[in-house]
Amino acid sequence: MSDLMSFSEIDGSGAVLVAAQRRVMMVTLKAELSKATRAAIKKALGTPVPAARKIANGIAWMAPDELLIMVPQGDTPEAMIARLTAELKAPMLAVDVSDARAVFTLKGNKAREVLAKGAPVDLAPEAFTLGDFRRTRLGQVAVAFWLEADDEITLVCFASLKQFMFEWLVNAAQKGSMPEFL
Amino acid sequence: MLLLTCPYCGVMAEETEFHGGGEAHLTRHSDGSSDDAFTAYLFERKNPKGIVLERWRHVYGCGKWFHAARCAVTLEIFGTYSAQTFEPPAEIIAKIKAKRPEWEAKS
Ligand SMILES: [Zn+2]
């Protein structure tokens, strides 16, 4: 978990710590992920494109033609977009979506249980593992999430729903409310 | 409850992660077609009691449209397939025919 200064809001009253991260820099890349395009992306970013429904080295597989790329410290969305645009020959679109997204951290060994309350996803430890990236809904909110560690989940949704999502998570994380199914 | 597998991202999820798009493989009559054909395209759906071919969208997932073949009575799903086609793939037709010999892909 990053240091406390990287969070804009934290609630530790529940069975799971819920924290809203400050602005996280990320770029959406839309392109047909052909072999040549994958090679070009690897050249531009220094890391390979992950397999379907996986996240690795800050690159998340969103769809057969879409990646979500976290911008590492010391890099900027503008510079990353410029490198991608220079390397990719096929039609593509790379956009800075940092302001379009809200990012949350769920910390605690019941983090899976909190998500399982609202997402139609098998979150059992053997079914959802480190490196898996899942786009789905949480309640009525379109989200994506993945494990940072066994007891830590990162969740992304649209920025316009940040406050609602935070309150939803805090509510779902209340002490004594864990289904204990997982 | 339907469990659908998105053919684009490979996720198997229950139906609330998807959005139904109605009858599949319609001919989109527009400019130059007769009023009757246009009316039929706009309003007339088969709605059979039995095998249905439908459009679905993985709305909370990868966002792609795809097709599903299922039975509207038993809710059995015979398969999902690409949106870039005018008819179900042969293996799905065979799967349906194995259980419903009387069913025809085009009716
Ligand atoms: Zn999908």
Side-chain angles (χ1 to χ4, degrees):
Chain A
M1 203 162 138
S2 8
D3 67 291
L4 288 178
M5 289 303 288
S6 57
F7 298 111
S8 60
E9 207 169 349
I10 302 176
D11 186 295
S13 66
V16 171
L17 184 112
V18 179
Q21 296 188 23
R22 289 188 197 282
R23 191 174 186 273
V24 177
M25 291 191 295
M26 55 181 93
V27 167
T28 280
L29 175 68
K30 273 276 192 186
E32 197 67 54
L33 296 176
S34 64
K35 231 177 154 184
T37 302
R38 284 168 183 269
I41 294 169
K42 191 181 174 192
K43 217 173 150 204
L45 303 176
T47 43
V49 174
R53 308 189 304 280
K54 296 285 177 186
I55 181 167
N57 306 305
I59 306 178
W61 190 94
M62 294 281 277
D65 56 1
E66 184 179 342
L67 298 175
L68 182 64
I69 309 160
M70 312 303 155
V71 181
Q73 288 225 318
D75 202 352
T76 63
E78 295 74 26
M80 182 178 272
I81 290 166
R83 291 201 306 282
L84 286 165
T85 311
E87 290 294 341
L88 270 71
K89 302 287 173 270
M92 55 82 82
L93 183 73
V95 181
D96 179 357
V97 293
S98 313
D99 291 323
R101 300 280 159 79
V103 184
F104 300 91
T105 293
L106 299 175
K107 176 88 177 162
N109 57 13
K110 295 279 182 276
R112 289 169 184 273
E113 303 251 359
V114 173
L115 291 193
K117 286 184 179 190
V121 177
D122 188 352
L123 285 157
E126 62 274 14
F128 191 73
T129 57
L130 209 63
D132 284 346
F133 178 86
R134 179 64 191 249
R135 290 178 79 180
T136 183
R137 63 178 182 87
L138 189 61
Q140 296 142 297
V141 181
V143 298
F145 51 73
W146 65 94
L147 292 168
E148 299 287 354
D150 245 6
D151 64 344
E152 185 179 332
I153 290 169
T154 303
L155 180 137
V156 178
C157 74
F158 283 115
S160 55
L161 294 158
K162 184 176 181 178
Q163 194 57 37
F164 175 80
M165 194 79 274
F166 183 78
E167 284 164 21
W168 193 99
L169 289 166
V170 169
N171 187 45
Q174 278 177 52
K175 279 197 175 110
S177 76
M178 292 304 128
E180 311 274 359
F181 281 145
L182 301 175
Chain B
M1 178 70 68
L2 301 173
L3 283 175
L4 296 166
T5 301
C6 171
Y8 291 95
C9 67
V11 160
M12 194 223 238
E14 49 103 347
E15 66 192 80
T16 64
E17 197 173 294
F18 301 92
H19 186 80
E23 187 177 322
H25 309 306
L26 297 176
T27 302
R28 288 174 168 70
H29 294 284
S30 65
D31 277 1
S33 61
S34 70
D35 283 358
D36 281 351
F38 187 59
T39 305
Y41 152 55
L42 272 187
F43 301 112
E44 289 166 19
R45 295 294 177 265
K46 292 195 199 96
N47 195 24
K49 184 179 179 182
I51 303 298
V52 289
L53 303 175
E54 294 173 315
R55 300 174 76 230
W56 283 83
R57 184 175 175 231
H58 195 186
V59 64
Y60 283 108
C62 68
K64 303 295 179 201
W65 281 97
F66 59 93
H67 285 127
R70 68 180 179 100
C71 176
V73 178
T74 64
L75 302 190
E76 178 178 2
I77 290 160
F78 293 91
T80 54
Y81 53 100
S82 162
Q84 282 76 36
T85 178
F86 294 110
E87 57 189 16
E91 67 266 25
I92 288 182
I93 292 179
K95 253 174 109 178
I96 299 172
K97 287 240 180 217
K99 287 212 166 174
R100 313 287 159 83
E102 74 288 355
W103 179 78
E104 288 299 327
K106 293 254 163 71
S107 60

